[in-house]
Amino acid sequence: MSTPADSAASTAEQDSAAATADPAAPVGPPPLPSTEPETPGPEEPGGSSIVFTLTLIVLVGLALFGRKIFAGLFTDDGVRTWATMFVGVTVQALPFLVLGVLLSAALTAFIPPSFFARALPKHPALAVPVASASGVILPGCECASVPVSAALMNRGVTPAAAIAFLLSAPAINPVVLASTAVAFPGQPKVVVARAVTSLGVSMVLGWLWLATGKGSSWLKIPKNRHAEGTAKLEVFRSSMLHDFLHAGGFLVVGAAAAATLNVVVPREWLDHVAANLLLSVVVLGLLAVLLAICSEADAFVAASLTQFSLTARLAFMVVGPIVDVKLIALQAGTFGPKFAIRFAPATFVVAILSSLLVGWWLL
């Protein structure tokens, strides 16, 4: 008669024999089938393609039927004025936009971030002005400057210097300064004022980070935008396509908004706002935040706002490349929302005060 002890011994012997016959075989009862659903692989995002297609359909529809649609809203002179301003701003800015996107993509693809880590001074306080000044010779639009600054942080560059580069590169690079000179012919002081103000804002915010945000927990260091080992030509192609679609769309929106502002808004209202220096600076600064025009093209929109003073238009050009709705979204997604909700208001205030100071000094 077998006892429970004998049964346990017999089971142990069977398990031992099975393990001896096949050491890799698992011991014990077979595992139950997993009930966890398999995680699907990453899908190709189709949102951008859908938005681009819908935008193209809307633009074609406006081109074909826009005169009939807006005939009851605008006079014939108003429609002609709107169309002339819209086409003029877009056509003037498009070559600079394309050039800026090409140079920005080349910077992202072919210049390793480790170059900046070696070139910058080791002391953070000295690295900030050097990083700000590097924006003069390294072109890049604001859409590209966010991932580039993230890559700099990943490669050991102090966050203060990376932030300074994030603000200066899209604002004072050669393409932006050249487009500003073309948009304001015969007014080199506007180009100088834009460069000085943007450079000063980037350094002030970099040093403010050192003074208040060093070691803070509300900055999330992001991972690289492109996978390690991605071919340089593929990085160049994807960066160029991404930046052109985003920046081109915002250019069209900005040109349409500038034309509409000049046609729809009563002249008396614009004159009243423009007559108050502080109010006009704040209003155009907020307009730059909302329009989110690419830095290679915003000077042409600013030049079309002839009702406002040069100081107010300077604020428009200084604020736009460093804080707008798309940049706030990009920074929140890249560095975390805790960073964005602190950084955007501080950037706006410093940019407005700096524009007032430099405008009083130079303009």
Side-chain angles (χ1 to χ4, degrees):
M1 181 177 179
S2 64
T3 63
D6 295 335
S7 299
S10 175
T11 302
E13 289 175 359
Q14 291 175 1
D15 291 342
S16 177
T20 304
D22 185 4
V27 177
L32 295 176
S34 176
T35 58
E36 296 182 1
E38 293 184 0
T39 303
E43 297 180 359
E44 189 70 20
S48 298
S49 300
I50 294 174
V51 172
F52 178 74
T53 304
L54 292 176
T55 304
L56 183 61
I57 292 173
V58 171
L59 291 177
V60 171
L62 289 176
L64 294 176
F65 308 108
R67 183 175 292 273
K68 295 181 179 179
I69 294 174
F70 297 109
L73 300 177
F74 302 143
T75 63
D76 288 341
D77 289 340
V79 173
R80 283 193 291 268
T81 302
W82 188 96
T84 300
M85 292 193 63
F86 173 76
V87 173
V89 171
T90 304
V91 171
Q92 275 189 309
L94 193 58
F96 294 96
L97 176 64
V98 173
L99 179 59
V101 167
L102 288 173
L103 293 177
S104 174
L107 171 66
T108 303
F110 301 114
I111 296 184
S114 57
F115 167 80
F116 300 97
R118 294 193 301 266
L120 292 175
K122 299 299 182 183
H123 196 285
L126 297 178
V128 168
V130 175
S132 296
S134 66
V136 178
I137 58 175
L138 295 174
C141 74
E142 56 268 30
C143 295
S145 65
V146 173
V148 171
S149 61
L152 294 177
M153 294 182 190
N154 278 326
R155 300 300 177 93
V157 174
T158 176
I163 288 171
F165 178 82
L166 166 70
L167 299 176
S168 68
I172 60 173
N173 69 69
V175 178
V176 170
L177 296 181
S179 67
T180 306
V182 173
F184 292 88
Q187 295 179 295
K189 60 183 181 180
V190 176
V191 182
V192 175
R194 180 173 193 175
V196 170
T197 309
S198 300
L199 187 65
V201 169
S202 66
M203 288 191 294
V204 167
L205 285 166
W207 283 325
L208 279 177
W209 173 265
L210 283 179
T212 62
K214 186 176 181 181
S216 178
S217 60
W218 41 267
L219 173 65
K220 181 184 70 175
I221 305 295
K223 295 182 180 180
N224 195 359
R225 177 179 168 185
H226 300 282
E228 290 294 335
T230 304
K232 292 183 178 181
L233 289 178
E234 174 60 24
V235 174
F236 175 79
R237 185 199 66 80
S238 62
S239 299
M240 181 182 64
L241 182 62
H242 173 273
D243 294 342
F244 181 76
L245 289 179
H246 280 70
F250 284 109
L251 167 61
V252 172
V253 172
T260 304
L261 183 67
N262 280 272
V263 173
V264 175
V265 178
R267 179 72 59 176
E268 296 79 13
W269 188 87
L270 289 178
D271 292 340
H272 176 71
V273 173
N276 188 313
L277 178 60
L278 180 59
L279 180 61
S280 64
V281 168
V282 174
V283 166
L284 284 195
L286 292 174
L287 186 65
V289 174
L290 296 175
L291 293 185
I293 307 171
C294 185
S295 59
E296 283 87 0
D298 61 358
F300 298 96
V301 176
S304 69
L305 302 174
T306 54
Q307 302 88 349
F308 294 89
S309 66
L310 286 178
T311 300
R313 287 183 278 177
L314 172 66
F316 180 86
M317 294 185 289
V318 171
V319 170
I322 59 177
V323 53
D324 59 37
V325 289
K326 75 174 185 298
L327 274 177
I328 294 172
L330 283 172
Q331 292 168 3
T334 304
F335 301 113
K338 292 182 179 180
F339 173 84
I341 62 177
R342 292 168 172 82
F343 187 69
T347 303
F348 182 82
V349 171
V350 172
I352 291 296
L353 294 178
S354 300
S355 299
L356 285 169
L357 177 62
V358 176
W360 169 79
W361 174 42
L362 289 178
L363 302 178

